[in-house]
Amino acid sequence: GHGTYPGSDFHHNGDLKDYFEPWEINLGKIYGTMDDLRLESPRVQEKYIAMTKALIASTDVDGFRVDTPMQVPLSFFKAWAPAVRDFAKSLGKDRFGMFGEFYVTPARYATMTGRGRDNTMYGTEKFIEGEATLKGGIVYSYYWYTFTAVVYGQAELADGLPLAYEEEAGMMDIFDPMSNRSEYSMWNFCNNHDNWRMQSMTGTAQMRMCLAVISFWPGVPLHYAGDEQDLNTPGSALDGWAREELSVSMAWRAVRTTPEGNPADRDNFDMTSSSYRYVQCLNAMRRAYFGNFGSE
């Protein structure tokens, strides 16, 4: 049947087919097989909070990357996030992190970062009612500016980075209740599993330029596994590629990316590779110049 039944922990509203249709993206069954959790229900929220506490206690994790938070009602995060922070703190985890996958516009993720702001609150000290939710998230805005500038050879598009940062600054609340101070903690990246690796469309030099940008841009640099070993299989995880293993796998011999074959074909737990050492140098420079930033 279809509809939402009071006794169910799930929505029953048909399949998610159109990701741009508000009703379907929030309530639809993804891939036609996975019913959407009824996260606006207090009963479901309590179950989810209990499950999360058990996960933290049993695995000793220090944070979560939350997938597709734009498909979750804000009321859920307003209940779940503070409960999780309080529990983590009781275990001695004073800086437990919760970060979202922000594949949306700044206007959307501004509502779920810190205490949250809507478009009537930009540039003010007004916030959405309730406690702080996510600490930050994976930002696509900066990625697209860098990606298009590098891949399409339009250097002027890189000017969008400071413009996006300036726009974002007046929209977001970056207050962290665990440290009692404002902390810009957005994640910046060059590659991810949903898109082709940048180096497979350009080259190592362009990829290293991007790594330097994310290393010294405000926020947290996020490295996609394999970039430090120059893995360059074309395609994305959506079509079965770009999730190469670091261990030896003969599967990648079918996709030659260099005259010698595919780098993913060999053992890539290599701390001496040139790109691994390049990332090490970037991290060392970041630590040396910005390691104490915010602690004064």
Side-chain angles (χ1 to χ4, degrees):
H2 294 76
T4 295
Y5 307 102
S8 174
D9 288 347
F10 297 89
H11 294 127
H12 303 276
N13 298 293
D15 295 346
L16 167 56
K17 297 178 181 178
D18 182 356
Y19 283 76
F20 296 96
E21 206 287 316
W23 175 269
E24 290 189 24
I25 193 64
N26 284 285
L27 302 174
K29 179 187 294 187
I30 192 168
Y31 304 136
T33 58
M34 300 168 64
D35 281 324
D36 188 67
L37 275 168
R38 194 173 171 222
L39 292 174
E40 73 276 13
S41 163
R43 180 183 66 248
V44 175
Q45 292 174 7
E46 291 171 3
K47 289 182 179 181
Y48 213 96
I49 289 169
M51 178 274 294
T52 306
K53 290 179 178 179
L55 183 63
I56 296 171
S58 61
T59 62
D60 195 33
V61 295
D62 295 314
F64 293 123
R65 179 265 197 193
V66 182
D67 197 73
T68 59
M70 56 281 191
Q71 298 178 21
V72 176
L74 185 59
S75 60
F76 169 80
F77 287 127
K78 288 288 186 179
W80 176 75
V84 170
R85 278 195 298 266
D86 289 345
F87 179 74
K89 190 171 184 177
S90 74
L91 300 180
K93 298 179 182 293
D94 295 332
R95 302 302 305 277
F96 194 86
M98 286 175 278
F99 302 88
E101 178 201 21
F102 291 154
Y103 190 49
V104 288
T105 64
R108 288 289 304 278
Y109 64 71
T111 64
M112 61 187 96
T113 302
R115 291 161 291 189
R117 284 193 179 102
D118 63 27
N119 60 3
T120 68
M121 303 171 178
Y122 297 160
T124 73
E125 286 302 305
K126 296 180 180 180
F127 310 100
I128 296 173
E129 184 178 358
E131 297 192 50
T133 54
L134 303 178
K135 182 175 176 63
I138 303 172
V139 184
Y140 273 78
S141 306
Y142 303 127
Y143 166 73
W144 288 121
Y145 281 122
T146 307
F147 179 90
T148 51
V150 171
V151 173
Y152 296 104
Q154 300 181 41
E156 67 276 8
L157 294 176
D159 293 339
L161 273 75
L163 295 176
Y165 182 77
E166 182 178 358
E167 177 189 33
E168 185 187 71
M171 302 169 70
M172 288 200 318
D173 172 48
I174 55 174
F175 176 75
D176 185 346
M178 301 195 80
S179 64
N180 200 36
R181 68 182 187 185
S182 294
E183 298 177 349
Y184 186 85
S185 303
M186 307 304 278
W187 292 4
N188 305 306
F189 63 96
C190 296
N191 284 321
N192 67 55
H193 64 278
D194 285 333
N195 298 280
W196 284 42
R197 291 187 189 269
M198 186 181 293
Q199 60 270 34
S200 71
M201 293 182 283
T202 55
T204 301
Q206 292 86 342
M207 177 61 190
R208 290 187 177 184
M209 181 277 294
C210 183
L211 292 175
V213 170
I214 67 169
S215 294
F216 302 108
W217 192 257
V220 181
L222 180 63
H223 297 280
Y224 184 51
D227 286 343
E228 80 289 355
Q229 302 298 338
D230 293 327
L231 301 188
N232 60 352
T233 306
S236 74
L238 301 180
D239 54 22
W241 304 105
R243 278 188 175 175
E244 307 98 318
E245 299 87 354
L246 293 180
S247 55
V248 177
S249 174
M250 295 177 62
W252 302 105
R253 294 181 182 178
V255 186
R256 298 178 65 88
T257 60
T258 71
E260 293 75 32
N262 189 320
D265 183 34
R266 58 179 179 264
D267 183 346
N268 278 292
F269 289 96
D270 184 3
M271 296 173 66
T272 66
S273 71
S274 60
S275 287
Y276 187 98
R277 289 184 284 110
Y278 178 75
V279 173
Q280 275 189 319
C281 288
L282 292 175
N283 288 341
M285 292 174 63
R286 179 183 169 92
R287 188 180 305 113
Y289 287 96
F290 301 107
N292 295 322
F293 184 77
S295 63
E296 295 83 359

